[in-house]
Amino acid sequence: MKVLRMVLVAIALLLPLAAQAQSLPMVSVQTGPDGAQTWSLSIQILLLMTALTLLPAILLMMTSFTRIIIVLSFMRQAIGSAQTPPNQVLLGLSLFLTAFIMSPVLSRSWNEGVQPYMDGTITQSQALERAVQPFRGFMLAQTRDSDLEMFARIARSGDYASREEVPLQVLVPSFVTSELKTAFQMGFLLFVPFLVIDLVVSSLLMSMGMMMLSPMIISLPFKVMLFVLVDGWSLLIGTLAGSFYV
């Protein structure tokens, strides 16, 4: 233990000397002639790795994924099939449908922010601002004014002259809240026709004196048949894709 402590103390004493000897050029920030600051490659790589860790949160909070996965889950519960379709299928369908819906937003973000930065025509801060603007427009189009007002009041940021002036820290939770409301409204509409089938089957079983038989066993084939006859998958996916304002 004494040897380990001595090694740790030696490392702690040598680290400042090593840092002074190298002067840490890899974390330098250079200022250009026009006043713009350019970060070194190591900082850019660090920021990129940090952004990659935030991708799941960005996928959930700033895209159409939340509404889609919730509505698909409601659909499965309304039919009454516990694990059909399985979670992997619902997640995969939600991801590809999200990519389809968000493709115009992603294309604008790439063309207006990422591509000019890779060409060296704009700085990092300008690239970040331009890349976020398409996502801001998408979220603002789906967000209710009441949710924006609620979170602005919670943040005590005062009133904004227009929706475009709302900062991201207020816009993102407002967008998620609006998406949850919309998803639950669509889920309610999904439940209504299947609930009618459950009520009819339950009434028939009660009138026949078959109270010990679970209505779910009888109603499940009828609900599946109804969903197939009305081409439910096309209607559901088409309605989901058309419910977003891009």
Side-chain angles (χ1 to χ4, degrees):
M1 294 297 295
K2 291 183 178 180
V3 176
L4 180 59
R5 290 178 181 176
M6 293 176 62
V7 172
L8 293 176
V9 171
I11 293 175
L13 292 175
L14 290 175
L15 279 177
L17 297 177
Q20 292 178 3
Q22 297 179 2
S23 68
L24 297 177
M26 62 178 60
V27 294
S28 61
V29 178
Q30 300 178 355
T31 303
D34 56 350
Q37 291 183 341
T38 303
W39 299 333
S40 60
L41 181 61
S42 59
I43 295 182
Q44 297 178 26
I45 294 175
L46 177 62
L47 294 176
L48 177 62
M49 298 300 295
T50 304
L52 290 177
T53 60
L54 297 176
L55 276 180
I58 295 174
L59 177 66
L60 290 175
M61 300 294 109
M62 299 177 64
T63 66
S64 59
F65 180 82
T66 300
R67 184 191 303 186
I68 295 171
I69 190 62
I70 291 177
V71 172
L72 292 180
S73 300
F74 270 122
M75 181 273 301
R76 185 173 65 180
Q77 293 179 11
I79 293 178
S81 57
Q83 295 296 329
T84 304
N87 293 330
Q88 293 84 348
V89 174
L90 292 184
L91 287 172
L93 179 60
S94 300
L95 286 172
F96 279 100
L97 193 56
T98 300
F100 172 77
I101 295 172
M102 299 297 297
S103 58
V105 179
L106 295 174
S107 298
R108 284 186 53 203
S109 179
W110 177 271
N111 294 330
E112 297 176 6
V114 180
Q115 190 63 51
Y117 172 69
M118 295 177 64
D119 295 337
T121 57
I122 59 176
T123 61
Q124 292 97 337
S125 58
Q126 292 174 336
L128 181 61
E129 182 179 356
R130 293 185 183 182
V132 171
Q133 284 302 319
F135 287 93
R136 283 182 54 88
F138 173 80
M139 290 188 290
L140 284 172
Q142 327 301 326
T143 306
R144 296 173 173 84
D145 292 333
S146 58
D147 295 324
L148 289 173
E149 293 173 359
M150 179 185 67
F151 280 97
R153 184 174 63 254
I154 294 174
R156 298 179 181 177
S157 54
D159 297 330
Y160 301 102
S162 62
R163 293 166 61 93
E164 286 71 20
E165 295 182 2
V166 177
L168 278 178
Q169 61 267 24
V170 175
L171 176 58
V172 172
S174 304
F175 168 72
V176 175
T177 305
S178 292
E179 287 295 282
L180 291 175
K181 290 180 181 179
T182 305
F184 273 71
Q185 290 173 357
M186 298 179 71
F188 169 77
L189 296 177
L190 276 174
F191 262 95
V192 171
F194 298 112
L195 181 61
V196 172
I197 295 177
D198 287 333
L199 291 175
V200 172
V201 171
S202 299
S203 301
L204 289 175
L205 292 178
M206 289 288 291
S207 63
M208 297 171 62
M210 305 175 64
M211 293 177 293
M212 300 302 294
L213 182 62
S214 175
M216 294 296 297
I217 300 177
I218 307 300
S219 63
L220 179 59
F222 290 99
K223 289 190 286 188
V224 173
M225 181 182 64
L226 173 65
F227 193 73
V228 172
L229 289 178
V230 301
D231 198 8
W233 283 112
S234 298
L235 287 175
L236 181 61
I237 294 176
T239 303
L240 274 173
S243 64
F244 292 94
Y245 304 97
V246 182

